[in-house]
Amino acid sequence: IYADPALQERLVTVRQSFREAQAASARPLAVPTAVTSEISKAGVDEEWSFDSERLRKAESERFGAAFGSVVHRALALLLDGCIGSAAMAVTLAAHEVGLDEHLEDAEADVLRAVEALRPLGVGRQGTTVTTEYPLAMAWNDGKLLTGFVDLLLLADDSALVIDFKTDTPV
């Protein structure tokens, strides 16, 4: 078989095609990229940048990042229907995060958030509440833009996207 020049030439062509296909298969179709890292590049707000937002949040958090994580997680537990009371949701979230102080403040924040969400339809019959809803979409330069919606409220005729903020409002 290898003595036949036509077969040898065909074998070389097949090997070259295989190497090219192998190299192409190793290149990602899209590189996962966090939404927050792309915001400033998209020109959303001239004064906004990821670093300035991180500094602003660090300065404005009342009781630190762990506190914000507890409030955020407790809201998710409560709104998903996993737990029926704000106190129990905060207790579980605090245990997960490792926070043992300011739990009354966290519960108050959770209750305030739930009350603020009621007029938007949270808890209304015919609506679906989903927390930490994953999103992904093709983006510029071969990127796969990824992130999570903190709260997605779905009704028959609408979808409402809500982002929880647990630091001090600006």
Side-chain angles (χ1 to χ4, degrees), residues 136-156:
M137 66 180 258
W139 194 244
N140 303 331
D141 304 320
K143 293 177 183 168
L144 177 66
L145 202 58
T146 61
F148 289 88
V149 172
D150 289 342
L151 176 66
L152 181 60
L153 180 63
L154 300 171
D156 290 339

Side-chain angles (χ1 to χ4, degrees), residues 108-138:
D109 283 3
V110 168
L111 290 170
R112 208 170 18 259
V114 169
E115 285 308 307
L117 292 169
R118 295 239 184 272
L120 299 175
V122 173
R124 186 180 306 147
Q125 190 160 351
T127 60
T128 302
V129 174
T130 305
T131 60
E132 295 298 321
Y133 189 84
L135 292 177
M137 66 180 258

Side-chain angles (χ1 to χ4, degrees), residues 6-7 17 29 53 73 81 95 101 118 121 133-134 139 150-151:
L7 285 176
S17 294
L29 294 175
E53 180 68 2
R73 176 70 173 131
H95 180 71
E101 56 188 9
R118 295 239 184 272
Y133 189 84
W139 194 244
D150 289 342
L151 176 66

Side-chain angles (χ1 to χ4, degrees), residues 57-90:
K57 284 187 79 169
E59 291 171 359
S60 68
E61 288 185 26
R62 292 181 297 160
F63 305 119
F67 176 83
S69 295
V70 167
V71 172
H72 195 279
R73 176 70 173 131
L75 278 166
L77 290 167
L78 197 59
L79 296 173
D80 277 340
C82 297
I83 293 181
S85 78
M88 184 57 76
V90 167

Side-chain angles (χ1 to χ4, degrees), residues 13-32:
T13 302
V14 167
R15 284 183 177 151
Q16 179 61 30
S17 294
F18 181 79
R19 279 192 291 274
E20 290 170 6
Q22 188 178 28
S25 70
R27 287 189 299 273
L29 294 175
V31 177

